[in-house]
Amino acid sequence: MKRTTGTDRSITRNWKPATRAVRGGTWRSEMGETSEAMFLTSGYSYDDAATPAARFAGEEAGMTYSRLQNPTVAMLEERIALMEGAEACRTQATGMAAMTAALLCQLSAGDHIVAAQAAFGSCRWLVDDLLPRFGIEGTTIDSTDNAAWEAAIRPNTKVFFFETPANPTLDVVDLEFVCGLAKSRGITTVVDNAFCTPIMQRPMEWGADVVAYSATKLMEGQGRVLAGAVCGSEEFINEKLLPFQRNTGPNLSPFNAWVVLKGLETLELRARQQCANALKVGQFLEGRVPKILHPGLASHPRHELAMKQMDMTGCIFSFVLDGGRKEAHAFLDALELIDISNNIGDARSLMCHPASTTHHSVGPEKRAEMGVDEGMLRFNVGLEDADDLIEDLERALAAVGL
Ligand SMILES: *Cc1c(COP(=O)(O)O)cnc(C)c1O
């Protein structure tokens, strides 16, 4: 295997984002294939007994077992790290495997974590249910309140954990403030950047230590496979994450890694067009629905902050109808083109009712605290023509008398 371009890191580092997404981490075998090869192998064989001994001792680079290394997976990890501007990256089987690994690899009994109230349902479960079982206490706060982050810090606080924009409330966290505060107190920030991908927002440029992904979403981009990734410093990845990952095994399959590699090649184009569609559709809905939460619209409470820290304002937004669950379900049932689906990041437009799906298990009390209204609908805007989407929305609005 040899690297095709940019063997010298100083060359790849100067590549623009679109080039990184297409070319980053490309290694070719002696066959000279143009598309990345798929190494569907769990093990590796050696010419002599000394070779594996040297590799297991860490004296020689090379593959030993696919829970430890795999060439296709390594290509994806190199590409994501390059796009993120991170020293290193490791991938996992799903976004939730990535979040779990990013937290458990660095927390121990007696530690404390401060996390955003508004978050993906399973991320809240980690903080509220899983970590306390192992003696790791969590405090959840309104992540848009800078003072709340500071007030929640305890002497044993080790990690800040949040999404921005958050799923599904689109809460925007002040990355520069929150990451700066964490740094000044020796706290590690873990940012779930699934809504943005590095094409739209790079939290490390604002001081984040660890950036974690559901690559299932916009990175893969066509709703085919699940994947996750954790980016950080060489030190964090090698000393904290790798011992955890290699011994617990939440690894990404090489097939899924290959699908995500192919997805990343079109990420910039997809993101650009989906964001443009989301803005056009958002502008159409504004004024027609009682409330819309879209970071790209001036009506968003943190619109200016979003414009400062995001290169594009996203392809996912939410809106709220006054008639609760009944009206939200009626709206969904009237759609003809847009699918009723709880996935996001897909090239297809998808809409869901978070209170009865993604945020069902967090329960009504926490939903109220997070701001997940019974009348809220979350909209992933895809690559279809925006005018066709608007026509479909007109139909749904008419069905609920709006
Ligand atoms: C989807 C999602 C996850 C979980 O990712 P999976 O790949 O489904 O495990 C975590 N965080 C956010 C913000 C998400 O949207």
Side-chain angles (χ1 to χ4, degrees), residues 1 27 29 33-39 71-72 75 254 258 261:
M1 295 284 282
W27 290 71
S29 77
E33 67 280 356
T34 45
S35 176
E36 297 79 1
M38 213 193 296
F39 287 89
T72 310
M75 286 190 256
W258 181 84
L261 276 165

Side-chain angles (χ1 to χ4, degrees), residues 7-219:
T7 17
D8 179 354
R9 271 260 174 162
S10 65
I11 297 172
T12 56
R13 227 179 268 130
N14 290 330
W15 283 348
K16 304 281 188 297
T19 311
R20 293 177 179 205
V22 177
R23 294 282 183 165
T26 310
W27 290 71
R28 278 186 187 139
S29 77
E30 65 276 22
M31 299 301 163
E33 67 280 356
T34 45
S35 176
E36 297 79 1
M38 213 193 296
F39 287 89
L40 294 178
T41 181
S42 40
Y44 304 87
S45 60
Y46 317 97
D47 289 341
D48 51 50
T51 301
R55 290 183 188 177
F56 275 90
E59 291 155 5
E60 182 189 300
M63 305 288 150
T64 52
Y65 186 60
S66 281
R67 180 155 42 74
L68 312 183
Q69 321 90 0
N70 175 278
T72 310
V73 172
M75 286 190 256
L76 176 63
E77 292 171 340
E78 196 175 318
R79 184 169 299 174
I80 294 174
L82 188 65
M83 294 175 71
E84 195 64 45
E87 286 176 11
C89 169
R90 284 293 178 272
T91 52
Q92 293 78 25
T94 67
M96 285 322 302
M99 304 307 154
T100 307
L103 296 177
L104 279 184
C105 79
Q106 59 174 323
L107 289 167
S108 304
D111 289 344
H112 174 247
I113 173 173
V114 182
Q117 244 162 34
F120 187 66
S122 297
C123 292
R124 274 299 298 259
W125 184 85
L126 293 182
V127 174
D128 296 343
D129 295 85
L130 182 72
L131 296 180
R133 280 201 238 153
F134 299 93
I136 301 154
E137 273 190 81
T139 305
T140 50
I141 56 154
D142 172 0
S143 64
T144 65
D145 178 356
N146 286 0
W149 286 100
E150 189 147 23
I153 296 174
R154 298 183 193 168
N156 57 340
T157 304
K158 292 283 159 62
V159 167
F160 279 179
F161 178 45
F162 60 92
E163 303 161 18
T164 181
N167 187 356
T169 57
L170 282 298
D171 283 1
V172 172
V173 179
D174 187 336
L175 282 168
E176 189 171 23
F177 175 85
V178 175
C179 297
L181 172 67
K183 201 142 268 172
S184 73
R185 303 291 187 90
I187 295 165
T188 302
T189 37
V190 177
V191 181
D192 175 346
N193 201 34
F195 264 40
C196 288
T197 79
I199 283 290
M200 295 189 206
Q201 173 175 274
R202 289 161 305 283
M204 286 180 178
E205 290 177 359
W206 304 100
D209 300 300
V210 177
V211 179
Y213 283 102
S214 167
T216 311
K217 311 295 169 56
L218 202 60
M219 278 192 179

Side-chain angles (χ1 to χ4, degrees), residues 214-288:
S214 167
T216 311
K217 311 295 169 56
L218 202 60
M219 278 192 179
E220 192 279 329
Q222 292 174 65
R224 296 166 292 193
V225 299
L226 301 175
V230 178
C231 301
S233 65
E234 295 263 14
E235 190 191 354
F236 176 83
I237 297 291
N238 293 338
E239 286 166 30
K240 299 242 162 76
L241 185 76
L242 271 185
F244 179 88
Q245 177 153 343
R246 289 177 161 181
N247 294 299
T248 61
N251 299 50
L252 181 63
S253 100
F255 177 81
N256 290 2
W258 181 84
V259 175
V260 179
L261 276 165
K262 297 293 106 186
L264 287 176
E265 291 177 9
T266 57
L267 174 62
E268 220 229 359
L269 272 174
R270 286 185 285 107
R272 215 168 270 294
Q273 188 58 44
Q274 286 182 242
C275 288
N277 282 356
L279 204 54
K280 187 166 178 187
V281 168
Q283 282 159 349
F284 162 77
L285 279 175
E286 182 150 56
R288 298 288 300 272

